[in-house]
Amino acid sequence: MLSFFLKRVSLIIPTFVGVTLLTFALIRLVPGDPIELLVGERGIDPARHAMLRAELGLDKPLLSQYVIYISDVLQGNLGKSIVTKTPVLDEFLTLFPATIELSLFALLLAVLIGLPVGILAAVRRGSIFDYSAMGLAVTGYSMPIFWWALLLILTFSVQLGWTPVSGRLSALYWVDPVTGFMLIDSLLSDEKGSFLDAVRHLILPAIALGTIPLAIIARMTRSSMLEVLGEDYIRTARAKGLPPLRVIGLHALRNAMIPVITVIGLAVGVLFAGAILTETIFAWPGVGKWLVESVRRRDYPVLQGGVLLVATVVMSVNLIVDVLYGLINPRIRYRR
Amino acid sequence: MTAKTPSTAGTAQAPPHPLVEFWRYFSANRGATVGLAVIVLISIVAASADVISLYAPEEQYRDAFLRPPAWTEGGSMRFILGTDDIGRDILSRIIYGARVSMSIGALVVTLSLGLGIALGLAAGFARGVVEIAIMRVMDIMLALPALLLAIVIVAILGPSLINAAMAIVIVALPHYVRLTRAAVISETAKDYVTASRVSGAGVIRLMLITVLPNCLAPLIVQATLGFSTAILDLAALGFLGLGAQPPTPEWGTMLANALQFIQRAWWVVTFPGLAILITVLAFNLMGDGLRDALDPKLKR
């Protein structure tokens, strides 16, 4: 198991180095002078320009520039935002809990609905339920989620008035950030009703973001279950006279879950791409919205550092999924 | 797979032509045929946009800001799906938007498929350092969520329709490269390739004539699904203001500032998105049908 784990970790290192090369190149590939990009719209006098150039090491050869960059990165120094002048890492850490909270609830929704729907569709293959569930799944999978989010706002916020349009909490409440997770912080605070308010803010973005993972999980669960239900050991279990619920819930589901867990793990990338759009629409103060705004404001240090951090998070989650996969499926662990 | 059986059994029925067999499986899938029909329809609409649309997509009617659709109160047959905030006919913009989405989708799929096949063939045949180099770069690209990578590329190139298309080509590339390489590696281990190599076929001939045709099935499926991803990503970039720039009638760009009209003009929000959904759904349905029809394991 340890060698399996180490092998997976060693595979990640070249990818991480590659991503640092990409983010290193990013600010240098943008047309124009990097210093003028860094100081923003206002001009800069030549003396200060030369000083900044030396300060940032831009007068050194590319290779030593990269060495400086990577040692900075490894020390957690990702530069400062041009707009706010705060370190990129600090901004990221402040905003990241909001993205995690949103993504976790979206994923929870996707799993809680997707799994039973997929199982039931497989068990009742060819039924009306199967057809309509899979029809809805392919529709959900094709959904432009920024439009889906707009429709949800149109229906539930504008017409029915059930949920707020944007943000994480109404201005009525003030909750001190302790963990950064609004649901936890609101419970910790003594503001009455703030928890319910936070839930009402969370629900629409979570539905919007969870729709595509939900569709993927439902489809994957169904096809994985169908494959397993055709296996000999299922016939054996049935022939032994085990109750159907036990056959499906225990013998089939356990084995069908293996590919489903991979899909759930891979959904992290999908979730993040979706978070960029969802957060932008719902004015959700998370990492996705932050990155889009950094592009609009031409705040390149934020984009550069943010991309590296997001890539690191995605790679780490994929690593964890890989390792979990090895834990539940010995066949993977001992391959090669 | 391609080996012909000797025609000793004269009485046996001749197997149907592969295309006939393919169509039999494909047309049995109702979703796939509907998807195909919708795609044909949208393509016709896109091609004949100049003829069928009533107005030019950029034409502004100052007397008709935010007119509701024809069947609602206050609507008229003049603007069937209503008008937007500066008096442009939404139906005409959606019709021209079909042209933008379909042509950019075709461009993106052609380029990423072509480049992906070339790199995948190179990796699958060369092995060694070339293979490792190509596949590592693809791994790096896959480490970033697709939309984020596209945003980074647009941030470098600058926001425009063509730059967004280029970004989507690059983002889509790893899937084609991986598929081609995997198919090439499994095919080159087979006897027919060895036979061809032994009889003196050069590398280029082996790649393009011997091996590639047998790798096409998964690539065709991926290209169809890639079409839907391209349209979705293009619309998402347009929505974020990083793709097609106004006044280009692009479906995602049309939604970019729709949020501010959500209270008073639902039609501005609804129809462009519906167009995206229908098109993407059609390609996904067809892709699913193609996969079932082309995958021998699923047959029967």
Side-chain angles (χ1 to χ4, degrees):
Chain A
M1 189 62 216
L2 185 69
S3 73
F4 168 78
F5 178 73
L6 289 178
K7 200 154 69 187
R8 287 294 143 125
V9 173
S10 69
L11 272 177
I12 272 212
I13 293 168
T15 316
F16 179 78
V17 173
V19 174
T20 58
L21 278 172
L22 179 80
T23 50
F24 171 74
L26 169 71
I27 209 156
R28 286 159 181 84
L29 285 175
V30 176
D33 177 56
I35 295 197
E36 271 160 31
L37 289 175
L38 286 173
V39 295
E41 302 284 302
R42 284 172 301 152
I44 182 166
D45 64 274
R48 176 130 177 80
H49 188 283
M51 208 180 80
L52 266 179
R53 232 176 110 77
E55 202 173 289
L56 295 170
L58 288 171
D59 51 350
K60 296 195 179 75
L62 265 185
L63 188 65
S64 41
Q65 285 186 34
Y66 178 68
V67 172
I68 294 170
Y69 172 67
I70 198 126
S71 69
D72 274 354
V73 163
L74 291 177
Q75 290 169 40
N77 175 13
L78 294 169
K80 281 181 186 168
S81 157
I82 297 173
V83 180
T84 60
K85 315 283 182 212
T86 22
V88 172
L89 188 62
D90 292 357
E91 288 202 347
F92 177 83
L93 291 177
T94 321
L95 298 170
F96 195 43
T99 302
I100 298 183
E101 188 172 48
L102 175 59
S103 308
L104 271 183
F105 274 85
L107 194 58
L108 193 71
L109 202 78
V111 172
L112 285 184
I113 303 176
L115 274 184
V117 166
I119 295 168
L120 207 60
V123 174
R124 304 223 184 290
R125 183 186 192 173
S127 68
I128 296 173
F129 176 81
D130 183 22
Y131 276 115
S132 40
M134 287 307 114
L136 279 178
V138 73
T139 312
Y141 181 68
S142 313
M143 192 65 90
I145 62 165
F146 50 97
W147 178 65
W148 178 227
L150 288 170
L151 283 192
L152 289 172
I153 295 177
L154 185 67
T155 317
F156 294 103
S157 304
V158 175
Q159 293 189 336
L160 297 171
W162 290 354
T163 54
V165 176
S166 63
R168 289 177 86 189
L169 199 67
S170 305
L172 281 166
Y173 304 104
W174 173 253
V175 170
D176 289 316
V178 184
T179 57
F181 295 96
M182 194 54 83
L183 292 186
I184 300 175
D185 288 351
S186 61
L187 277 180
L188 291 176
S189 80
D190 44 8
E191 291 264 11
K192 282 212 172 72
S194 61
F195 177 74
L196 275 181
D197 188 62
V199 171
R200 289 186 341 128
H201 277 84
L202 182 59
I203 205 147
L204 281 195
I207 293 174
L209 185 55
T211 300
I212 290 181
L214 166 65
I216 297 176
I217 290 170
R219 274 161 65 110
M220 191 67 210
T221 309
R222 176 181 179 270
S223 67
S224 176
M225 273 300 270
L226 281 180
E227 206 165 294
V228 170
L229 285 174
E231 297 281 345
D232 288 342
Y233 58 80
I234 297 295
R235 198 181 325 149
T236 311
R238 284 203 172 119
K240 280 198 300 189
L242 292 181
L245 208 61
R246 195 176 159 82
V247 176
I248 291 161
L250 208 65
H251 293 72
L253 192 58
R254 260 198 199 168
N255 291 290
M257 280 323 287
I258 291 171
V260 175
I261 287 177
T262 325
V263 167
I264 296 176
L266 291 177
V268 172
V270 177
L271 275 175
F272 195 84
I276 295 176
L277 296 164
T278 316
E279 290 180 359
T280 304
I281 293 166
F282 288 97
W284 189 266
V287 169
K289 180 167 166 278
W290 177 60
L291 284 174
V292 171
E293 276 169 5
S294 79
V295 176
R296 289 197 187 135
R297 295 170 176 169
R298 303 174 67 84
D299 194 345
Y300 291 103
V302 165
L303 186 63
Q304 189 186 25
V307 166
L308 183 61
L309 288 166
V310 169
T312 311
V313 170
V314 172
M315 279 190 289
S316 315
V317 174
N318 285 343
L319 176 73
I320 295 168
V321 172
D322 253 8
V323 172
L324 283 181
Y325 200 49
L327 274 177
I328 56 169
N329 189 359
R331 277 175 296 184
I332 301 285
R333 215 184 314 158
Y334 295 118
R335 196 184 289 164
R336 274 194 288 173
Chain B
M1 208 193 284
T2 47
K4 287 211 173 79
T5 40
S7 54
T8 42
T11 46
Q13 209 181 352
H17 188 274
L19 273 180
V20 176
E21 201 194 354
F22 161 76
W23 179 251
R24 196 179 295 160
Y25 283 110
F26 183 80
S27 57
N29 185 330
R30 215 179 304 153
T33 32
V34 171
L36 179 65
V38 172
I39 291 167
V40 170
L41 188 74
I42 296 171
S43 309
I44 294 172
V45 166
S48 57
D50 299 318
V51 186
I52 55 173
S53 93
L54 291 173
Y55 307 99
E58 279 102 21
E59 184 76 61
Q60 302 175 14
Y61 293 90
R62 307 238 158 165
D63 56 328
F65 294 153
L66 290 176
R67 284 285 166 84
W71 61 90
T72 56
E73 206 186 314
S76 72
M77 283 310 285
R78 189 168 154 219
F79 303 108
I80 297 170
L81 295 184
T83 60
D84 65 9
D85 52 319
I86 50 175
R88 293 174 300 194
D89 180 41
I90 288 179
L91 180 61
S92 303
R93 289 181 67 72
I94 288 177
I95 290 172
Y96 276 93
R99 181 177 277 184
V100 174
S101 286
M102 296 299 274
S103 49
I104 293 291
L107 177 78
V108 165
V109 168
T110 315
L111 285 181
S112 50
L113 187 65
L115 276 173
I117 288 178
L119 287 171
L121 282 172
F125 271 90
R127 312 306 295 263
V129 185
V130 179
E131 183 190 23
I132 293 173
I134 294 176
M135 297 323 289
R136 281 293 133 206
V137 172
M138 296 305 133
D139 282 350
I140 295 165
M141 290 162 70
L142 286 173
L144 284 175
L147 187 62
L148 183 61
L149 183 59
I151 289 176
V152 168
I153 297 167
V154 171
I156 295 172
L157 299 174
S160 80
L161 183 61
I162 286 300
N163 289 348
M166 290 306 114
I168 299 168
V169 169
I170 296 172
V171 168
L173 208 50
H175 301 284
Y176 297 102
V177 176
R178 282 190 156 187
L179 268 180
T180 313
R181 173 181 162 271
V184 164
I185 287 174
S186 80
E187 287 299 316
T188 41
K190 288 183 182 160
D191 287 343
Y192 76 97
V193 182
T194 316
S196 176
R197 186 175 280 145
V198 167
S199 26
V203 176
I204 300 292
R205 189 188 167 83
L206 276 179
M207 275 184 185
L208 299 180
I209 298 176
T210 314
V211 172
L212 185 60
N214 294 304
C215 305
L216 280 181
L219 286 169
I220 292 172
V221 175
Q222 179 63 37
T224 316
L225 299 174
F227 218 113
S228 69
T229 324
I231 291 175
L232 265 184
D233 285 351
L234 187 75
L237 287 174
F239 173 76
L240 291 171
L242 302 172
Q245 298 297 310
T248 313
E250 196 273 319
W251 293 337
T253 313
M254 286 171 77
L255 288 170
N257 45 14
L259 191 56
Q260 53 187 317
F261 305 110
I262 207 160
Q263 308 251 9
R264 49 201 173 107
W266 57 269
W267 56 93
V268 179
V269 183
T270 314
F271 298 120
L274 200 58
I276 303 172
L277 175 63
I278 291 171
T279 315
V280 171
L281 185 57
F283 276 104
N284 280 339
L285 285 172
M286 193 171 98
D288 283 354
L290 281 175
R291 174 166 37 214
D292 295 352
L294 291 171
D295 187 346
K297 273 180 288 181
L298 288 172
K299 280 181 184 170
R300 255 153 261 144

